[in-house]
Amino acid sequence: MVPQIADELKCGQKTVSRWLHRFNRWGLEGLEDLGGQGCKRRITEAERSRIVGLVKQTPPGRLEMQPSNEMWAADESGPSEWTLDTLAAAARDLGIEVSRSQVRRILVAEGVRWRRTRSWTRSRDADSEGKGRGSSSSTPARPPARQWFAPTNSAR
């Protein structure tokens, strides 16, 4: 009987046996979800929401132009851009004990996408001389752009 039920429900025979035993032991109440299965979350939904909300805020160290045409940052010693490390530190400042990797998992689950920050010090001018390699091996230099040439008509 168990193999036929498993085939019809498209699940494993062990699963069918487990549910049959629960039904035989406790009746209909045995078919209810027991809850408490798996690891407990370390942080609450409200804390997760606060972490996602941090990403939407301007980092405290980012300079912004004020109406008086002066540049100003809320906290000049703070981060000028959000990284996983700075988000984890900001969350800890809010009293949320969270690791860098946990922040990443939360943001991935929420569909937050990261983009590399573009530096304002780079010039788009073709005649501008490059400054050399990036600041570390984790930020490789950009490869040179492809040059396209018009096809020549060799059959003249």
Side-chain angles (χ1 to χ4, degrees):
M1 181 166 155
V2 169
Q4 293 90 352
I5 295 172
D7 285 342
E8 189 170 324
L9 296 176
K10 295 179 179 28
C11 67
Q13 292 182 21
K14 258 181 145 176
T15 302
V16 172
S17 293
R18 182 176 347 118
W19 285 102
L20 281 174
H21 286 295
R22 284 177 60 177
F23 177 76
N24 289 336
R25 183 181 237 174
W26 295 301
L28 288 175
E29 289 178 10
L31 300 179
E32 292 179 13
D33 185 20
L34 295 177
Q37 306 287 325
C39 292
K40 301 282 185 220
R41 285 192 167 181
R42 292 185 214 162
I43 63 173
T44 65
E45 274 305 313
E47 291 171 329
R48 291 170 64 90
S49 295
R50 288 176 73 188
I51 291 169
V52 173
L54 279 173
V55 177
K56 296 177 183 178
Q57 295 177 5
T58 302
R62 180 174 291 162
L63 291 172
E64 295 182 309
M65 185 67 75
Q66 298 302 308
S68 63
N69 287 335
E70 291 184 30
M71 298 295 285
W72 179 83
D75 177 9
E76 290 183 20
S77 64
S80 61
E81 62 183 43
W82 288 127
T83 64
L84 294 175
D85 290 323
T86 58
L87 282 168
R92 285 191 293 272
D93 290 344
L94 294 173
I96 304 169
E97 285 304 315
V98 65
S99 67
R100 177 187 196 277
S101 60
Q102 195 172 12
V103 169
R104 182 185 173 284
R105 285 191 303 272
I106 290 168
L107 297 179
V108 166
E110 292 294 326
V112 175
R113 294 182 182 247
W114 292 97
R115 290 186 180 169
R116 182 180 299 213
T117 303
R118 191 170 206 164
S119 173
W120 59 272
T121 59
R122 291 194 181 124
S123 174
R124 293 182 183 212
D125 183 5
D127 295 331
S128 176
E129 187 175 326
K131 301 292 183 199
R133 296 205 48 176
S135 59
S136 72
S137 61
S138 65
T139 55
R142 189 178 254 175
R146 284 186 179 178
Q147 293 186 359
W148 298 95
F149 297 99
T152 57
N153 190 355
S154 58
R156 287 189 181 180

